[in-house]
Amino acid sequence: MKPRVLLIEDNANNRYLASFILEQLGLHVIHAENGRDGVAMARAERPDLILLDIQMPEMDGYEAGRLLLDDPVTASIPIIVVTSFAMPGDKAKAMAMGFADYIEKPFDPEVFSAKVRTHLPPSGTPPT
Ligand code: MN
C-alpha cells in the first residue's frame, strides 16, 4: 500500500505541482483546500505525512497545525509547513511550534522531494 500524504493547500496551481511531485515519489495524495477541512481530513484519514500551507481561508496553517499537534489522534503525524510567507522569524516560529520541517515557496522540486522522503516513516519509504 502506498504511503498517504495529506496536502492542505488553497492554491490550485500549488496543489497541482506538489501533487505531481508527490505522485512521482510513489505516494498516494489526498488534499484539502483550507485549514478547517484539512484538520477534519487528517483526523479521519490519519495520513503518513501532512504538507501544510500557512496562508489559507477559513483557518490558516498555524491554527490548523496547532489543532493537529494538540490532538492525540494526529499528534504523531509529521507536518511539513510549506509557505511563501517568508516573514523574518517565520521558520523559527514553525519549528518552535513542533512542526517537523519547513519548505519555502516557490520550492525547488529536489529540495521538496528530499524533505518529504526524510519525514516519511521508514516502512513507507518508496524503493529508489
Ligand atoms: Mn495559501
Side-chain angles (χ1 to χ4, degrees):
M1 212 171 100
K2 292 180 177 180
R4 291 173 311 133
V5 176
L6 170 59
L7 175 62
I8 309 175
E9 163 68 73
D10 64 310
N11 180 280
N13 290 330
N14 290 339
R15 275 204 311 277
Y16 181 84
L17 177 58
S19 295
F20 180 80
I21 295 169
L22 293 167
E23 284 165 6
Q24 292 288 314
L25 290 171
L27 307 174
H28 178 72
V29 183
I30 55 180
H31 76 261
E33 300 181 12
N34 64 64
R36 192 185 315 280
D37 291 350
V39 169
M41 188 168 287
R43 287 173 173 157
E45 300 289 334
R46 302 189 197 187
D48 297 293
L49 179 69
I50 295 171
L51 292 172
L52 179 63
D53 182 30
I54 290 297
Q55 293 188 291
M56 292 186 290
E58 303 296 329
M59 180 188 290
D60 75 14
Y62 286 126
E63 188 178 354
R66 180 82 271 149
L67 290 171
L68 293 171
L69 291 167
D70 286 345
D71 184 339
V73 171
T74 52
S76 65
I77 303 171
I79 298 173
I80 301 177
V81 170
V82 185
T83 180
S84 56
F85 196 61
M87 292 284 287
D90 212 31
K91 178 177 184 178
K93 178 180 178 183
M95 301 310 285
M97 284 179 67
F99 297 124
D101 214 329
Y102 180 96
I103 300 173
E104 283 184 17
K105 291 188 282 193
F107 53 76
D108 177 287
E110 289 190 14
V111 171
F112 182 92
S113 296
K115 291 208 174 190
V116 167
R117 284 174 181 273
T118 296
H119 294 288
L120 283 172
S123 61
T125 304
T128 52

